[in-house]
Amino acid sequence: MQSLYVEGDSFMHRFPARSKLLVLAILGIILFTTRNIPLLSIGVLMTGAVYFSLGLYFGQAIARLKPVLLTILVVALFSLLFNPWHGAVVALLRLTALMLFAAAVTATTTISEFIDEITLLARPLERAGLVAANDVGLAVGLVVRFVPEILSRYQAIKEAHAARGIKVRPVTVLAPLIILTLRDADNIATAIDARGVRRHVS
Amino acid sequence: MSTRDLVLSALFAAIIVALGILPPITLGFIPVPITAQSLGVMMAGVVLGARRGAIAVLIVLVLVAIGLPVLSGGRGGLAAFAAPTTGFLVGWLFAAFATGYIAERLVKAEQSGLVQTVGFFLASAIGGIVVLYAFGIAYLAFAAGIGFQQAFVGSMAFIPGDVIKAFVAALAGRAVMAGYPLLPART
């Protein structure tokens, strides 16, 4: 699975991940407390400048944002139909600015940096006995490892259906796919414990 | 959490991700392609139960946040949390938990297949539609600055598809229950 991280050497790349996430959180709070259109427009221009200075090609940069941008536009248009225009413009600017900065953080922070931050956030929960912070990395690794496995298993089930002349229907494919996948869980769990990956669990 | 529970949740998270990548399966009788990952969220609840189901969804949300394109259409990254529809994304967590909670209480091993399927359908519909839309609509009304009523009306267009998904989740949940039961898990 290809991450959305982009190699580069912009100032955002050199910024520590924690500061970027803090700035994003503060920006989110500021954006949602103001309804001032000029101020929000400046916000969009500034976050846009940050996002488009990361070294992505313009088309590529737009393509990454298209789905979210489209949702924001559709909702803003819908809002414009039934509400005073001021609210729709505020929502459009607010969400666009937030989206641009969020995308900039995503593009300049590696997965391991993110996992370090999440592990740090999970430490207090660990002390409360709710989660083991190191499990975050393990879980992420397991998913990335098993998505291709599931896709090829799906293909195999589909071919088995075709070979027997059975029509591919959601339930006839999903049930064996889930059962086969979950059956692996016992073996994987045994292997993880045998290697002492989660030392804290007895 | 036992290693087995962690692995079960992670593998189900992988299934939810895969559902966003797989080519759509069309239902034989209705021209509605089943791709959406909200089907995976309902199935996480009915197959794994409340706690493990919610953890599976939480893992998917972590993957989105750290910049992997795991949402359908290759979406991902923190920008996915800045859309007006973000309430539906975060609501997945509560939807999976509610679906699992209800399924754990309604469905018992000794019931007939039909009763189990109906139980799973109720769990999927209440968790995956009522609870999910409560979060989705509330955030949509707030973030987009449109009234609660309009957010509600605008979201209703997606209900029929979700009812079909709840039905598919119920059938899949019942089939998995017969072949590899993991419920009831109340520990």
Side-chain angles (χ1 to χ4, degrees), chain B residues 115-178:
Chain B
V115 177
Q116 287 180 343
T117 310
V118 172
F120 280 142
F121 176 76
L122 286 175
S124 306
I126 296 170
I129 300 176
V130 178
V131 173
L132 180 66
Y133 278 72
F135 280 88
I137 290 170
Y139 186 79
L140 183 62
F142 163 71
I146 57 179
F148 186 82
Q149 214 176 347
Q150 265 131 44
F152 185 85
V153 172
S155 306
M156 283 307 110
F158 301 97
I159 293 280
D162 282 336
V163 172
I164 295 173
K165 279 179 220 157
F167 184 63
V168 173
L171 290 175
R174 149 77 191 144
V176 176
M177 181 95 176

Coordinates of all heavy atoms in Angstrom, one line a residue, chain B residues 115-178:
Chain B
V115 N -34.2 -16.8 13.0 CA -34.2 -15.9 14.2 C -32.8 -15.1 14.3 O -32.7 -13.9 14.6 CB -34.5 -16.6 15.5 CG1 -34.4 -15.7 16.7 CG2 -35.8 -17.3 15.4
Q116 N -31.7 -15.9 14.1 CA -30.4 -15.3 14.1 C -30.3 -14.2 13.1 O -29.7 -13.1 13.4 CB -29.3 -16.3 13.9 CG -29.1 -17.3 15.1 CD -28.1 -18.3 14.9 OE1 -27.7 -18.6 13.7 NE2 -27.6 -18.9 15.9
T117 N -30.7 -14.5 11.9 CA -30.6 -13.5 10.8 C -31.4 -12.3 11.1 O -30.9 -11.1 10.9 CB -31.1 -14.1 9.5 OG1 -30.5 -15.4 9.3 CG2 -30.8 -13.2 8.3
V118 N -32.6 -12.4 11.7 CA -33.4 -11.2 12.0 C -32.7 -10.4 13.1 O -32.6 -9.2 13.1 CB -34.8 -11.7 12.5 CG1 -35.6 -10.5 13.0 CG2 -35.6 -12.3 11.3
G119 N -32.1 -11.1 14.1 CA -31.4 -10.5 15.2 C -30.2 -9.7 14.6 O -30.0 -8.5 15.0
F120 N -29.5 -10.3 13.7 CA -28.3 -9.6 13.1 C -28.8 -8.4 12.3 O -28.1 -7.4 12.2 CB -27.5 -10.6 12.2 CG -26.6 -11.4 13.0 CD1 -26.4 -12.8 12.6 CD2 -25.8 -10.9 14.1 CE1 -25.5 -13.6 13.3 CE2 -25.0 -11.7 14.8 CZ -24.8 -13.1 14.4
F121 N -29.9 -8.6 11.6 CA -30.4 -7.5 10.8 C -30.8 -6.3 11.7 O -30.5 -5.1 11.4 CB -31.6 -7.9 9.9 CG -32.2 -6.7 9.2 CD1 -31.6 -6.3 8.0 CD2 -33.4 -6.1 9.6 CE1 -32.2 -5.2 7.3 CE2 -33.9 -5.1 8.9 CZ -33.3 -4.6 7.7
L122 N -31.5 -6.6 12.8 CA -31.9 -5.5 13.7 C -30.6 -4.8 14.2 O -30.5 -3.6 14.3 CB -32.7 -6.0 14.8 CG -34.1 -6.4 14.5 CD1 -34.8 -7.1 15.7 CD2 -34.9 -5.2 14.0
A123 N -29.6 -5.6 14.6 CA -28.4 -5.0 15.1 C -27.7 -4.1 14.1 O -27.3 -3.0 14.4 CB -27.4 -6.2 15.6
S124 N -27.6 -4.6 12.9 CA -26.9 -3.9 11.8 C -27.7 -2.6 11.5 O -27.1 -1.5 11.2 CB -26.8 -4.7 10.5 OG -26.2 -5.9 10.7
A125 N -29.1 -2.7 11.5 CA -29.9 -1.5 11.1 C -29.8 -0.5 12.2 O -29.6 0.7 11.9 CB -31.3 -2.0 10.8
I126 N -29.9 -0.9 13.5 CA -29.9 0.1 14.5 C -28.5 0.7 14.7 O -28.3 1.9 14.7 CB -30.3 -0.5 15.9 CG1 -31.8 -1.0 15.8 CG2 -30.2 0.5 17.0 CD1 -32.3 -1.8 16.9
G127 N -27.5 -0.2 14.7 CA -26.1 0.3 14.8 C -25.6 1.0 13.6 O -25.1 2.1 13.7
G128 N -25.7 0.3 12.5 CA -25.1 0.8 11.2 C -25.9 1.9 10.5 O -25.4 2.6 9.6
I129 N -27.2 2.1 10.9 CA -28.0 3.2 10.3 C -28.4 4.2 11.3 O -28.0 5.4 11.2 CB -29.2 2.6 9.6 CG1 -28.8 1.6 8.5 CG2 -30.0 3.8 8.9 CD1 -29.9 1.0 7.7
V130 N -29.1 3.8 12.4 CA -29.6 4.8 13.4 C -28.4 5.5 14.1 O -28.3 6.7 14.1 CB -30.6 4.1 14.4 CG1 -31.0 5.2 15.4 CG2 -31.7 3.5 13.7
V131 N -27.5 4.7 14.6 CA -26.4 5.3 15.4 C -25.5 6.1 14.4 O -25.1 7.2 14.7 CB -25.6 4.2 16.2 CG1 -24.4 4.8 16.8 CG2 -26.5 3.6 17.2
L132 N -25.2 5.5 13.3 CA -24.2 6.1 12.3 C -24.8 7.4 11.9 O -24.1 8.5 11.9 CB -24.0 5.2 11.2 CG -23.1 5.7 10.1 CD1 -21.7 5.9 10.6 CD2 -23.0 4.8 8.9
Y133 N -26.1 7.5 11.5 CA -26.6 8.7 10.9 C -26.8 9.8 12.0 O -26.8 11.0 11.7 CB -28.0 8.4 10.2 CG -27.8 7.9 8.8 CD1 -27.3 6.6 8.6 CD2 -28.0 8.7 7.7 CE1 -27.0 6.2 7.3 CE2 -27.8 8.3 6.4 CZ -27.3 7.0 6.2 OH -27.1 6.6 4.9
A134 N -27.0 9.3 13.3 CA -27.1 10.3 14.4 C -25.8 11.1 14.4 O -25.8 12.4 14.5 CB -27.4 9.6 15.7
F135 N -24.7 10.4 14.4 CA -23.4 11.1 14.4 C -23.2 11.9 13.1 O -22.8 13.1 13.1 CB -22.2 10.1 14.6 CG -22.1 9.7 16.0 CD1 -22.8 8.6 16.5 CD2 -21.2 10.4 16.8 CE1 -22.6 8.2 17.8 CE2 -21.0 10.0 18.1 CZ -21.7 8.9 18.6
G136 N -23.4 11.3 12.0 CA -23.2 11.9 10.7 C -24.0 13.1 10.5 O -23.5 14.2 10.0
I137 N -25.3 13.1 10.8 CA -26.2 14.2 10.6 C -25.8 15.4 11.5 O -25.8 16.5 11.1 CB -27.7 13.8 10.7 CG1 -28.0 12.9 9.5 CG2 -28.6 15.0 10.8 CD1 -29.4 12.2 9.7
A138 N -25.5 15.0 12.8 CA -25.2 16.1 13.8 C -24.0 16.8 13.3 O -24.0 18.1 13.3 CB -25.0 15.4 15.1
Y139 N -22.9 16.1 12.9 CA -21.7 16.8 12.5 C -21.9 17.6 11.2 O -21.4 18.7 11.0 CB -20.6 15.8 12.3 CG -19.3 16.6 12.0 CD1 -18.6 17.2 13.1 CD2 -18.8 16.7 10.7 CE1 -17.4 17.9 12.8 CE2 -17.6 17.4 10.5 CZ -16.9 18.0 11.5 OH -15.8 18.7 11.3
L140 N -22.7 17.0 10.2 CA -23.0 17.7 9.0 C -23.7 19.0 9.2 O -23.3 20.0 8.6 CB -23.9 16.7 8.1 CG -24.2 17.2 6.7 CD1 -23.0 17.4 5.9 CD2 -25.1 16.2 6.0
A141 N -24.7 19.0 10.1 CA -25.4 20.2 10.4 C -24.5 21.2 11.0 O -24.6 22.4 10.7 CB -26.6 19.9 11.4
F142 N -23.6 20.8 11.9 CA -22.6 21.7 12.6 C -21.6 22.2 11.6 O -21.4 23.4 11.4 CB -22.0 21.0 13.7 CG -20.7 21.6 14.3 CD1 -20.8 22.8 15.0 CD2 -19.5 21.1 14.0 CE1 -19.7 23.4 15.5 CE2 -18.4 21.7 14.5 CZ -18.5 22.9 15.2
A143 N -20.9 21.3 10.9 CA -19.7 21.7 10.1 C -20.1 22.5 8.8 O -19.4 23.4 8.4 CB -18.9 20.5 9.7
A144 N -21.3 22.1 8.2 CA -21.7 22.7 7.0 C -22.5 24.0 7.3 O -22.9 24.7 6.4 CB -22.4 21.8 6.1
G145 N -22.9 24.2 8.5 CA -23.7 25.3 8.9 C -25.1 25.3 8.3 O -25.8 26.3 8.2
I146 N -25.5 24.1 7.9 CA -26.9 23.9 7.5 C -27.7 23.5 8.7 O -27.2 22.9 9.6 CB -27.1 23.0 6.3 CG1 -26.5 21.6 6.6 CG2 -26.4 23.5 5.1 CD1 -26.6 20.6 5.5
G147 N -29.0 23.7 8.6 CA -29.9 23.3 9.8 C -29.9 21.8 9.9 O -29.6 21.0 9.0
F148 N -30.3 21.4 11.1 CA -30.4 19.9 11.4 C -31.4 19.3 10.5 O -31.1 18.2 9.9 CB -30.8 19.8 12.9 CG -30.8 18.4 13.3 CD1 -29.7 17.7 13.7 CD2 -32.0 17.6 13.3 CE1 -29.7 16.4 14.1 CE2 -32.0 16.3 13.7 CZ -30.9 15.7 14.1
Q149 N -32.5 20.0 10.2 CA -33.5 19.4 9.4 C -33.0 19.1 7.9 O -33.3 18.1 7.4 CB -34.7 20.4 9.3 CG -36.0 19.7 9.2 CD -37.2 20.7 9.3 OE1 -36.9 21.9 9.6 NE2 -38.3 20.2 8.9
Q150 N -32.2 20.1 7.4 CA -31.7 19.9 6.0 C -30.7 18.8 5.9 O -30.6 18.1 5.0 CB -31.2 21.2 5.5 CG -32.2 22.0 4.7 CD -32.2 23.5 5.2 OE1 -31.2 24.1 5.4 NE2 -33.4 24.0 5.3
A151 N -29.9 18.8 7.0 CA -28.8 17.7 7.0 C -29.5 16.3 7.0 O -29.1 15.4 6.4 CB -28.0 17.9 8.3
F152 N -30.7 16.3 7.8 CA -31.4 15.0 7.9 C -32.0 14.7 6.5 O -31.8 13.5 6.0 CB -32.5 15.2 8.9 CG -33.3 14.0 9.2 CD1 -32.9 13.1 10.1 CD2 -34.5 13.8 8.5 CE1 -33.6 12.0 10.4 CE2 -35.3 12.6 8.8 CZ -34.8 11.7 9.7
V153 N -32.7 15.6 5.9 CA -33.3 15.4 4.6 C -32.3 15.0 3.5 O -32.4 14.0 2.8 CB -34.1 16.6 4.1 CG1 -34.6 16.4 2.7 CG2 -35.3 16.9 5.0
G154 N -31.1 15.7 3.5 CA -30.1 15.4 2.5 C -29.5 14.0 2.7 O -29.1 13.4 1.7
S155 N -29.5 13.5 3.9 CA -28.9 12.2 4.2 C -29.8 11.0 3.9 O -29.4 9.9 3.7 CB -28.4 12.1 5.7 OG -27.6 13.2 6.0
M156 N -31.1 11.3 3.8 CA -32.1 10.3 3.6 C -31.9 9.5 2.3 O -32.3 8.4 2.2 CB -33.5 10.8 3.7 CG -34.0 11.1 5.1 SD -33.8 9.7 6.2 CE -32.5 10.3 7.3
A157 N -31.3 10.2 1.3 CA -31.1 9.6 0.0 C -30.3 8.3 0.1 O -30.4 7.4 -0.7 CB -30.4 10.6 -0.9
F158 N -29.5 8.2 1.2 CA -28.5 7.1 1.3 C -29.1 5.9 2.1 O -28.5 4.8 2.2 CB -27.2 7.5 1.8 CG -26.5 8.6 1.0 CD1 -26.7 9.9 1.4 CD2 -25.8 8.2 -0.1 CE1 -26.1 10.9 0.6 CE2 -25.2 9.2 -0.9 CZ -25.4 10.5 -0.5
I159 N -30.3 6.1 2.7 CA -30.9 5.1 3.5 C -31.2 3.8 2.8 O -30.8 2.7 3.3 CB -32.1 5.7 4.3 CG1 -31.7 6.8 5.3 CG2 -32.9 4.6 5.0 CD1 -31.1 6.3 6.6
P160 N -31.8 3.9 1.6 CA -32.2 2.6 1.0 C -31.0 1.7 0.8 O -31.0 0.5 1.0 CB -32.8 3.0 -0.4 CG -33.3 4.4 -0.1 CD -32.3 5.0 0.9
G161 N -29.9 2.2 0.3 CA -28.7 1.5 0.1 C -28.2 0.8 1.4 O -27.7 -0.3 1.4
D162 N -28.3 1.6 2.5 CA -27.8 1.1 3.8 C -28.7 0.0 4.3 O -28.2 -0.9 5.0 CB -27.7 2.3 4.8 CG -26.4 3.1 4.5 OD1 -25.5 2.5 3.9 OD2 -26.4 4.3 4.9
V163 N -30.0 0.1 4.0 CA -30.9 -1.0 4.4 C -30.5 -2.3 3.7 O -30.4 -3.4 4.4 CB -32.4 -0.7 4.1 CG1 -33.3 -1.9 4.4 CG2 -32.8 0.5 5.0
I164 N -30.1 -2.2 2.4 CA -29.7 -3.4 1.7 C -28.4 -3.9 2.3 O -28.2 -5.1 2.5 CB -29.4 -3.1 0.2 CG1 -30.8 -2.7 -0.4 CG2 -28.8 -4.3 -0.5 CD1 -30.6 -2.2 -1.8
K165 N -27.5 -3.0 2.7 CA -26.2 -3.4 3.3 C -26.5 -4.1 4.7 O -25.8 -5.1 5.0 CB -25.3 -2.2 3.5 CG -24.6 -1.8 2.3 CD -23.7 -0.6 2.6 CE -23.8 0.3 1.4 NZ -23.5 1.7 1.8
A166 N -27.4 -3.6 5.4 CA -27.8 -4.2 6.7 C -28.2 -5.7 6.5 O -27.9 -6.6 7.2 CB -28.8 -3.4 7.5
F167 N -29.0 -5.8 5.4 CA -29.5 -7.2 5.1 C -28.4 -8.1 4.7 O -28.3 -9.2 5.1 CB -30.5 -7.0 3.9 CG -31.2 -8.2 3.5 CD1 -32.0 -8.9 4.4 CD2 -31.0 -8.8 2.2 CE1 -32.6 -10.1 4.0 CE2 -31.6 -9.9 1.8 CZ -32.5 -10.6 2.7
V168 N -27.5 -7.6 3.8 CA -26.3 -8.4 3.5 C -25.4 -8.7 4.7 O -25.0 -9.9 4.8 CB -25.4 -7.7 2.4 CG1 -24.2 -8.4 2.1 CG2 -26.3 -7.5 1.1
A169 N -25.2 -7.7 5.6 CA -24.4 -8.0 6.8 C -25.1 -9.0 7.6 O -24.4 -9.9 8.2 CB -24.3 -6.6 7.5
A170 N -26.4 -9.0 7.7 CA -27.1 -10.0 8.5 C -26.9 -11.4 8.0 O -26.6 -12.3 8.7 CB -28.6 -9.7 8.6
L171 N -27.0 -11.5 6.6 CA -26.9 -12.9 6.0 C -25.4 -13.3 6.2 O -25.2 -14.5 6.5 CB -27.2 -12.8 4.5 CG -28.7 -12.6 4.2 CD1 -28.9 -12.5 2.7 CD2 -29.5 -13.8 4.7
A172 N -24.5 -12.4 6.0 CA -23.1 -12.8 6.2 C -22.8 -13.1 7.6 O -22.1 -14.1 7.9 CB -22.2 -11.7 5.7
G173 N -23.3 -12.3 8.5 CA -23.1 -12.6 9.9 C -23.6 -14.0 10.4 O -23.0 -14.7 11.1
R174 N -24.8 -14.3 9.9 CA -25.4 -15.6 10.2 C -24.6 -16.7 9.6 O -24.3 -17.7 10.2 CB -26.8 -15.6 9.6 CG -27.4 -16.9 9.2 CD -27.8 -17.8 10.4 NE -28.0 -19.2 9.9 CZ -27.7 -20.3 10.5 NH1 -27.2 -20.2 11.7 NH2 -28.0 -21.4 10.0
A175 N -24.1 -16.5 8.3 CA -23.2 -17.6 7.7 C -21.9 -17.8 8.5 O -21.5 -18.9 8.7 CB -23.0 -17.2 6.3
V176 N -21.3 -16.7 8.9 CA -20.1 -16.8 9.7 C -20.4 -17.5 11.1 O -19.6 -18.3 11.5 CB -19.4 -15.4 9.9 CG1 -18.2 -15.6 10.8 CG2 -19.0 -14.9 8.5
M177 N -21.5 -17.1 11.6 CA -21.9 -17.7 12.9 C -22.0 -19.2 12.8 O -21.7 -19.9 13.7 CB -23.3 -17.1 13.3 CG -23.8 -17.5 14.6 SD -23.4 -16.4 15.9 CE -24.2 -17.1 17.3
A178 N -22.6 -19.7 11.7 CA -22.7 -21.1 11.5 C -21.4 -21.8 11.3 O -21.1 -22.9 11.7 CB -23.7 -21.4 10.3

